[in-house]
Every structure is written in structure tokens, then in C-alpha cells.
Amino acid sequence: MKTLIIIIISSALINNVVLSQFLGLCSFLGVSTSVKTATGMGMAVIFVLTLSSLVTSIIYKAILYPKYDYLQTIVFILVIAALVQFVEMFLKNSVPTLYRALGVYLPLIATNCAVLGVALKNVTHSYNILEGTVNGFATAVGYTFAIVIMAGIREKIDTNDIDPAFKGKPIILVTSGLMAIAFFGFSGLVA
Amino acid sequence: MENQSNLERIYNGLLKENPIFVLAIGMCPTFAITTSAINGIGMGLATTVVLALSNLLISLIRKIIPDSVRVPIFLVIVASFVTIVQFLMEGFLPSLYDALGIYIPLIVVNCIILGRAEAYAYRNPPLLSLFDGIGMGLGFTFAVTWIGAVRELIGSGKIFGYQLLPLADLATGKAGYEPVAIFVMAPGAFLALSVLVAIMNTKRKKKGMAPLPIGCSPESCAACGNRSCVTRNSGSVKVENTAKAAQGGKSE
């Protein structure tokens, strides 16, 4: 139990996937236009990342480890690409309400490097299946924190007077930098 | 003639269409690994090797790849080369391997590689594709080494590990440079890149081009076979439609 809590705190806050690992940066910058879409994106990431960590952990432990673990990158990238497609088709046909809520965000996750990043991290930290899944979930929660906070700030930025050179992408990167400094404050939480 | 156009591909990747400074694709690894100039060079050269070899192989087999499953095939080819490079690095450059860590296998999802596969290697002869890969890779290396050197200089007063600016010493009261340590940490990446993008946007404005988009740039999206662009443009177009459109475009 204690290890799980440490994994959650360290993946969601200390080593925040966007602000300190730079994974999933594209969608973080692209989708954080309003709090509503950011929340939707966050929920979709939580769903996919938890599921993909579970599936890649099982595949790694059951098939790849210890004999074929050099194939991890190749297998993971294919499994993730197929999984996201499959989730989209499954939700569309079987759970239309959930599909209506998350559907538009699913394609954005397909090429999200955070999904592959978490799968590889589970291997390098040699997490077991439960720890790996929890790590995936916690990472996605960290992503949701970051993107929702960012969206909240961006809704205010639009009305501000910004130097023309820094309008658009640069000011958002500066904001992300300041957020990253703020998230540095969590680093003392786990020894 | 052949030689000339090969050289032209290198010049194109290095300067004219530099992936970072001009096309602005593959920005994710740029944030993560530009903590020092030497990390930049290591990551850049690893990417160059993968890019050149995968471009060559994809171009060699481009006539037998079925159009509808080309992206998974590209992924397998790129992932195989990345795995080879990863093991070579682990064996021969262990310190660099430790410094770059998880970002080496993540070369697979670097937009530049899939982007060049789709935009160039899939449509052009092998030798030209090889040189296109080398050119683009060297352009990427040049860019990340530059950014790494700037961050290293501001963050620690060093370049390539050499102490360029003498440090101030509080104990002896010696005057000197006080490093801004935040620049070699995660937040510094955002700050350094924001200044870079601001400079690029100002230049683009002078040339009458639109500023860089906030998310992924559309060029890189389309090039990666990234379905998010398709969805953004027209609601919920299926992958099959995209593939069909690509096929239609090709036959025309």
C-alpha cells in the first residue's frame, strides 16, 4: 500500500508528466483552450492511460519478460496504436454515452508520447502489473491537473495585454515554465 | 547531377527546412534533452542514424507497402532501428545512455521521423531519401546542440562541460558569473523555448508568414498521419477515408 501511495504522489505531482517529463506536450498546448475541453481531454487520457498501462504490463510480464524484453519498444508502440483504435470502436458501438463524452479526444491520444512513455517507465522501474496500472492512472491524473490549470490560466490570458512578439505560443510556454517552477515545490513530498 | 541533388537534400535539412528552426516539428524531445550541449549532440546523432536508415529502408520497400497499413509498417521499421541504436548506446556510450534515459526509445514517436517517412521517403528513390534523412537529422542535431549550449551556458556557465564563464565564489568574495540553475532544469526548457519561439514568430511575421500554431504545427500533424488534424478539420472523418484520400491524391 505504501509503495502505491508513493507511486501516485511521485507520478502525479513530483514528476508531472507534462511539466517535468515533457511527454504529451503537443496535446497539452493544443487542447488547453477552455477548462471544459481540458477536463474532457484529461478524462480521456485517464481512461486510455490506465487501460494501456494495464495491457502493456500484462504483455510485458506474461510474454516478453525475461526472454524477449528487447522487443519492448516495437511491441508497445503497436499495442498502443491498436488499443486506442479498438477502444474507440468499442466505445462507439457499446457505450455511446461515454463515446459522446470522450470520443473527440481519443484520436488526439493515439500519437501522444505519454502513453508509450508510461509503458516504458513501468519497465525501467520494474513495476508489477498493479503498480504499473496505478502508475499509469497517477500519471494521467497529473496530466489532468496540469492541463486544467493551464486552461484556467489561458482563459484569462486572452484578455491581457501581451507584447506582440510573445502573443500566442511563447506566452503559453512562459506560463508552463512558471507552472513547472510551482510544481517543483512538491519535490520534497517523498524522500 | 545525382551528387548535386544529394548535397541539396543535406543543405535543405540543415538550413532551408531545418526541422526545429523552420518547420518546428519534433519539439517534444527538444524540451527534454537540451539540458547540455553534449546531450543535444548525442540525441541528435542517435536521431540522425534512425532517420537515415529508416528513410532508406522505407524508400527501398515503398512499392510493396500497402497504402492502408503504411503507418504501422513505418512504426515497426522505426522502432527496430531505435532498438538497435538504444543497445549500441547502452554498450558503447553508457554515460550518455543514462543521461538520455527514456527519451532514447521515445525517438520512435519523434514527429520528424514519421513525418519524413510519410512526406519524403515514401515518395522518393532510396539514395535521395537516405540523404534527406541525413540532412534532416543533422539539422535536428544542429538545432538541439545550439539550444543545449545556450541552456548550459546560462544554467552553469559551461559549454560542453568546459567552464567558459568563471563562477563567483561567495566564500572568498571572488566576483564572477552566478549561474541561473533553473535553466538546466525542467522549467528552464519552457522559458528557453518560449524565447526561441518568440524570435521565430517575429521573423515569420517579417516574411509575412502566420505565427507558429500553439499545439502541434499542422505540417507535422499531417505528416505524421496524425488523425487529430483530420478530426479537427471535419468532425469525425474515419481513418479509412484519410487513407483513401491519400490514395486518391497519389493516383492523380
Side-chain angles (χ1 to χ4, degrees):
Chain A
M1 196 60 210
K2 202 179 153 202
T3 30
L4 290 186
I5 292 174
I6 290 178
I7 289 175
I8 292 178
I9 293 177
S10 101
S11 292
L13 299 175
I14 301 170
N15 297 315
N16 187 284
V17 60
V18 184
L19 297 173
S20 94
Q21 310 283 317
F22 310 107
L23 302 174
L25 211 57
C26 268
S27 59
F28 169 74
L29 297 173
V31 190
S32 55
T33 41
S34 77
V35 174
K36 199 171 161 244
T37 50
T39 321
M41 182 67 188
M43 294 303 141
V45 169
I46 291 180
F47 184 75
V48 172
L49 220 53
T50 314
L51 193 63
S52 72
S53 318
L54 176 69
V55 172
T56 49
S57 294
I58 291 175
I59 288 179
Y60 184 75
K61 291 284 174 202
I63 305 172
L64 298 180
Y65 188 78
K67 231 176 160 185
Y68 302 107
D69 62 345
Y70 61 89
L71 283 174
Q72 45 172 289
T73 314
I74 305 172
V75 171
F76 286 171
I77 187 93
L78 285 181
V79 166
I80 289 165
L83 183 78
V84 176
Q85 293 267 350
F86 178 76
V87 165
E88 198 183 350
M89 283 193 301
F90 174 79
L91 287 184
K92 200 172 187 181
N93 295 324
S94 314
V95 202
T97 29
L98 197 59
Y99 181 76
R100 268 198 295 280
L102 304 183
V104 284
Y105 305 106
L106 287 175
L108 290 168
I109 305 171
T111 46
N112 190 332
C113 41
V115 188
L116 181 63
V118 171
L120 292 168
K121 272 226 159 109
N122 289 339
V123 172
T124 45
H125 290 278
S126 50
Y127 288 150
N128 62 30
I129 294 175
L130 176 66
E131 287 168 342
T133 314
V134 169
N135 183 34
F137 173 76
T139 307
V141 169
Y143 177 90
T144 311
F145 278 154
I147 196 172
V148 171
I149 296 172
M150 186 64 185
I153 299 174
R154 265 180 80 173
E155 286 181 355
K156 301 282 183 290
I157 283 183
D158 289 344
T159 58
N160 287 354
D161 183 25
I162 296 158
D163 185 88
F166 272 83
K167 269 213 173 87
K169 193 169 185 174
I171 191 70
I172 289 167
L173 290 178
V174 172
T175 315
S176 317
L178 296 178
M179 278 171 66
I181 294 175
F183 269 70
F184 249 40
F186 290 116
S187 57
L189 271 181
V190 175
Chain B
M1 185 67 206
E2 178 80 332
N3 235 345
Q4 227 174 1
S5 48
N6 286 343
L7 279 179
E8 189 270 328
R9 287 326 297 169
I10 297 215
Y11 168 75
N12 181 62
L14 205 54
L15 298 170
K16 213 170 121 209
E17 286 188 10
N18 186 293
I20 300 291
F21 290 147
V22 181
L23 299 182
I25 56 176
M27 290 301 239
C28 285
T30 312
F31 279 84
I33 50 89
T34 51
T35 47
S36 68
I38 197 77
N39 281 0
I41 285 201
M43 184 68 169
L45 291 182
T47 311
T48 307
V49 172
V50 175
L51 192 53
L53 294 178
S54 62
N55 257 11
L56 177 66
L57 186 60
I58 287 168
S59 176
L60 281 173
I61 61 169
R62 70 185 189 282
K63 298 221 168 81
I64 54 169
I65 298 178
D67 214 52
S68 48
V69 288
R70 65 187 191 287
V71 175
I73 290 177
F74 295 165
L75 281 176
V76 174
I77 292 172
V78 175
S80 314
F81 284 122
V82 167
T83 309
I84 294 170
V85 167
Q86 187 184 355
F87 283 128
L88 287 176
M89 254 185 157
E90 193 176 4
F92 293 104
L93 298 164
S95 61
L96 194 62
Y97 177 81
D98 288 337
L100 297 177
I102 195 177
Y103 297 101
I104 301 172
L106 281 176
I107 294 177
V108 182
V109 283
N110 187 332
C111 261
I112 300 173
I113 297 181
L114 275 189
R116 289 327 280 179
E118 176 89 8
Y120 199 87
Y122 193 53
R123 295 178 168 77
N124 287 287
L127 202 62
L128 276 177
S129 303
L130 173 70
F131 277 90
D132 180 74
I134 295 174
M136 279 284 159
L138 290 180
F140 178 71
T141 312
F142 169 67
V144 288
T145 309
W146 233 102
I147 301 170
V150 169
R151 281 182 67 190
E152 196 184 351
L153 184 67
I154 300 178
S156 62
K158 298 176 185 170
I159 283 188
F160 289 109
Y162 169 75
Q163 195 73 46
L164 198 68
L165 303 171
L167 294 185
D169 196 340
L170 278 181
T172 57
K174 187 164 76 82
Y177 180 67
E178 281 182 38
V180 191
I182 199 91
F183 259 82
V184 286
M185 294 190 269
F190 286 108
L191 300 178
L193 267 285
S194 77
V195 175
L196 177 68
V197 174
I199 295 172
M200 281 161 73
N201 272 353
T202 315
K203 273 197 160 171
R204 287 169 81 101
K205 207 174 175 185
K206 271 187 195 148
K207 283 186 197 161
M209 289 153 83
L212 292 171
I214 290 166
C216 317
S217 53
E219 298 98 341
S220 77
C221 274
C224 282
N226 186 339
R227 291 159 61 218
S228 64
C229 313
V230 184
T231 356
R232 213 178 295 150
N233 291 340
S234 52
S236 57
V237 184
K238 280 286 193 53
V239 202
E240 296 86 73
N241 291 355
T242 333
K244 246 180 236 162
Q247 225 161 15
K250 237 176 144 191
S251 59
E252 280 160 24

